[in-house]
Amino acid sequence: APERGITRLAFTHLRGAAIDHIEVKGKQPVELRREGDDWKLVDGRWADGEGVKRLIEAVEKVASSDLVTEDGARQAEFEVDAEKGAQVELTAGKRTLASLVVGKAATGGATYVRTGDRVFRVTGLYRGVFGKDASAWLERKLFVDAVTAVTRIEVRLHDAPVYALVKKEDVWALEDPSVLPAGFRFDAKAAASLVAAVVNARATDVLATPIDETTSGLGEAAEAWRYTLAAGEGGEPAVTHELRLGAEKEAGVRYARTDRRADVVTLASSTVTSLRKRPTDLRDLAVILLDATKVRALHIVDGARTLELVKKGDAWSLARTSETLPKGFELDPQAAARRVSTLASVHATRVDEGATLAASGLSRPSATVTATLEDGSQVRLAFGKDVEVEGRKEAYVLGNVDKSIYVV
């Protein structure tokens, strides 16, 4: 029978602030060193600070008197041997603060842990915190700032004029609206999404070896986003950070670098797309301007099919339909209300500047949805031809916000 309660394993005395070096040996080796407030891999790449924090906190919480065995011949059984165990050592200077081998999972949410020849069963400890590939230790988030702290961002793209966004009373606007064509509907939410995309950008990879600027394209001529944080309450000056986007490494993936760190990273094509917004890409894509609370009737025509709903007081009812209804049919008032809400919130994926009413099928719509308001005025959404884009079926539409032809 296993020996129990004879001795105790505990690292509760450990203080994370004293640790300056962490090494994990085994199948997934990694070596981490503290530099000031930051952690780095030994090759100089920044480490995931949160991941390091979780490792240290996990060791600090190790406490068990559940001794399983002291028989060295049984170490492989619990995967705490040199071949399969994750051998973890935390040091401060030349002094070892904690040394343990993390093995396989045990029953009841526990894990086997070895110190010396003693193997303990430790609850609340998970091997995944220690045993992971070196690439999983990389810090992929490019900035540490809060999006809400940003007050201005300047965007420099190769295919658009330089422009800046400024935040006024928590609403984003163009610093110089003249960069947009007359009548353009600017979307403050789209601008806020751009700011968030910059500040929250994450790398797909962090290069382990240096790369010259000729290859990376990260010189002074690179595309760049420079954001400014609010000045400190104590009179501290405003802080500015920069993200540069360089040459393409492979299909859609591009090199990037920030002023916070020297290493070069790569950004996924989806991230690049979310960053590369010209002023005209910050368009309000709402198609319909409608106060849903003032709608008193809804008339839907889809080919030969028609449906008319009316609202009296707070209740919706079916006025007429071209379809044969089953016996005992009752209209769901909430379903009618949802149709009105859907109409009021229609947003397009894009505007088609070159489309004509005839070419888009909107000169003779295939379907229309018309809302009648309490003052008798009407708002209509017309559907034209279907269009397929990258395997997605979309349709041309025309609403009441302007005369542009949109795609939804």
Side-chain angles (χ1 to χ4, degrees):
E3 299 173 286
R4 298 181 184 276
I6 292 176
T7 190
R8 181 173 177 78
L9 169 66
F11 292 110
T12 53
H13 65 281
L14 189 66
R15 294 294 177 264
I19 300 166
D20 59 20
H21 183 265
I22 299 171
E23 185 169 10
V24 180
K25 296 179 182 178
K27 289 187 175 181
Q28 296 170 303
V30 70
E31 190 173 356
L32 305 162
R33 293 175 180 168
R34 186 198 293 271
E35 292 188 10
D37 294 330
D38 303 310
W39 284 88
K40 292 185 179 181
L41 278 70
V42 289
D43 61 12
R45 291 182 291 176
W46 283 41
D48 173 16
E50 287 300 314
V52 176
K53 180 181 177 183
R54 285 192 293 271
L55 183 151
I56 294 173
E57 290 178 345
V59 176
E60 288 175 334
K61 294 176 182 177
V62 168
S64 175
S65 57
D66 192 354
L67 179 64
V68 178
T69 184
E70 291 183 85
D71 184 355
R74 298 186 63 191
Q75 291 178 7
E77 176 185 346
F78 304 107
E79 296 185 8
V80 291
D81 55 328
E83 179 184 355
K84 294 184 178 180
Q87 304 160 55
V88 184
E89 187 171 85
L90 286 67
T91 59
K94 296 182 179 180
R95 185 163 58 99
T96 299
L97 302 179
S99 181
L100 63 156
V101 182
V102 183
K104 70 178 184 180
T107 57
T111 300
Y112 294 110
V113 174
R114 176 172 66 85
T115 57
D117 289 331
R118 293 169 177 163
V119 179
F120 293 83
R121 188 176 177 276
V122 180
T123 59
L125 185 73
Y126 303 99
R127 180 170 175 145
V129 174
F130 307 91
K132 52 188 179 182
D133 293 336
S135 62
W137 288 102
L138 293 173
E139 176 57 87
R140 298 178 187 274
K141 196 171 188 306
L142 303 186
F143 298 106
V144 298
D145 303 306
V147 176
T148 54
V150 180
T151 58
R152 183 181 187 274
I153 187 166
E154 183 180 280
V155 182
R156 185 177 69 205
L157 303 175
H158 291 158
D159 59 353
V162 175
Y163 71 96
L165 299 169
V166 291
K167 187 166 64 174
K168 300 176 181 178
E169 298 181 352
D170 291 329
V171 177
W172 285 96
L174 277 165
E175 190 172 64
D176 178 11
S178 69
V179 299
L180 293 175
F184 184 92
R185 292 189 301 122
F186 178 79
D187 188 354
K189 291 182 178 179
S193 294
L194 170 58
V195 177
V198 175
V199 179
N200 294 329
R202 296 181 65 88
T204 55
D205 192 18
V206 182
L207 275 61
T209 55
I211 181 173
D212 62 81
E213 288 189 353
T214 301
T215 303
S216 70
L218 291 169
E220 290 298 321
E223 294 186 322
W225 293 256
R226 184 175 293 126
Y227 69 82
T228 303
L229 302 173
E233 294 182 0
E236 298 90 343
V239 176
T240 299
H241 289 300
E242 182 183 68
L243 167 64
R244 288 188 183 183
L245 186 65
E248 189 173 72
K249 180 187 178 186
E250 54 195 47
V253 176
R254 292 176 62 172
Y255 294 112
R257 186 175 60 207
T258 75
D259 64 308
R260 290 187 60 242
R261 44 199 279 188
D263 42 17
V264 174
V265 305
T266 56
L267 299 184
S269 58
S270 57
T271 301
V272 172
T273 299
S274 67
L275 294 173
R276 296 197 73 260
K277 300 297 183 183
R278 298 164 297 181
T280 51
D281 291 325
L282 305 177
R283 177 190 291 267
D284 184 349
L285 291 172
V287 177
I288 290 290
L289 182 60
L290 174 67
D291 183 347
T293 63
K294 296 182 178 180
V295 177
R296 292 295 175 265
L298 197 65
H299 188 210
I300 302 171
V301 178
D302 186 359
R305 296 182 298 172
T306 62
L307 174 68
E308 187 171 353
L309 305 171
V310 295
K311 185 179 183 182
K312 294 181 180 179
D314 293 329
W316 282 96
S317 61
L318 177 63
R320 60 176 175 166
T321 178
S322 62
E323 297 185 348
T324 302
L325 300 176
K327 187 177 180 180
F329 172 84
E330 291 186 8
L331 176 71
D332 178 2
Q334 293 302 316
R338 285 194 294 272
R339 290 202 178 201
V340 175
S341 296
T342 299
L343 175 63
S345 60
V346 171
H347 277 69
T349 57
R350 58 189 173 88
V351 63
D352 191 334
E353 301 283 7
T356 63
L357 292 176
S360 65
L362 286 165
S363 57
R364 300 181 62 183
S366 60
T368 60
V369 181
T370 305
T372 302
L373 308 186
E374 57 189 14
D375 63 359
S377 62
Q378 293 186 325
V379 173
R380 189 179 84 149
L381 175 65
F383 291 82
K385 293 179 180 178
D386 289 338
V387 56
E388 191 166 309
V389 180
E390 298 179 352
R392 302 188 310 273
K393 182 173 284 189
E394 299 178 328
Y396 289 111
V397 295
L398 182 64
N400 71 327
V401 292
D402 54 31
K403 296 181 179 181
S404 297
I405 295 175
Y406 294 87
V407 178
V408 297

